């Protein structure tokens, strides 16, 4: 970021000197453009949140595979999902909560996937940045595959 800022300042100063202006004229405009580009880059690609640079979510006919921190891949059967919801607009994420954390592979420990926005001990938050084919397709697939309350086995006590 510092190198980019120095390049913008240097180009702006050189441009002003070539045009016969005072070297600081319009310098704020170059800095403003750089700041806008940097903010938009961070919104489009959120900073590293501990997740590996690999496919974070995979839906199969039998289960959901979620990859996360420390090279852990958790497999949750469709019948073991209590809720799966998409939250957020710019930085969207999927919230998955299993009915029985001991039936996931490997079994989930309390707060194992603790992260920003997690409100329950066995929630899994999956960032959806750069998701293809898109959130609408994911919503349709979740609605199609998730069991209704009548089909879901009762939670252990």
């Amino acid at each position: 970021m510092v190198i980019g800022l120095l390049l913008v300042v240097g180009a702006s100063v050189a441009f002003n000197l070539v045009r016969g202006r005072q070297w600081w004229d319009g310098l704020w405009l170059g800095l403003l453009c750089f700041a806008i580009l940097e903010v938009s880059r961070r919104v489009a690609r959120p900073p590293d949140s501990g997740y590996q640079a690999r496919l974070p979510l995979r839906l199969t006919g039998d289960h959901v595979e979620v990859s996360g921190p420390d090279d852990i891949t958790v497999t949750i059967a469709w019948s073991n999902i209590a809720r799966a919801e998409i939250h957020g607009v710019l930085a969207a994420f999927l919230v998955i909560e299993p009915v029985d954390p001991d039936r996931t592979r490997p079994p989930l420990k309390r707060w194992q996937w603790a992260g920003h926005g997690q409100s329950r001990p066995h929630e899994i938050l999956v960032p959806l940045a750069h998701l293809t084919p898109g959130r609408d397709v994911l919503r349709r697939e979740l609605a199609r595959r998730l069991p209704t309350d009548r089909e879901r086995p009762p939670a252990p006590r």
Side-chain angles (χ1 to χ4, degrees), residues 7 15 19 23 25 48 54 58 64-65 74 89 113-114 117 125-127 130-131 152-153:
L7 289 173
F15 180 76
R19 302 274 308 206
W23 68 269
D25 277 353
D48 185 28
R54 59 187 167 139
R58 187 173 144 212
V64 176
E65 290 179 5
V74 174
V89 178
W113 288 59
L125 300 176
V126 183
H130 310 293
L131 174 73
R152 186 176 287 122

Side-chain angles (χ1 to χ4, degrees), residues 114-133:
H116 177 70
Q118 185 176 3
S119 61
R120 297 184 183 171
H122 293 105
E123 274 185 348
I124 298 173
L125 300 176
V126 183
L128 298 178
H130 310 293
L131 174 73
T132 56

Side-chain angles (χ1 to χ4, degrees), residues 51 56-57 65-67 92-96 113 124-129:
Y51 290 90
L57 180 67
E65 290 179 5
V66 180
S67 57
F93 56 94
L94 174 66
V95 178
I96 302 174
W113 288 59
I124 298 173
L125 300 176
V126 183
L128 298 178

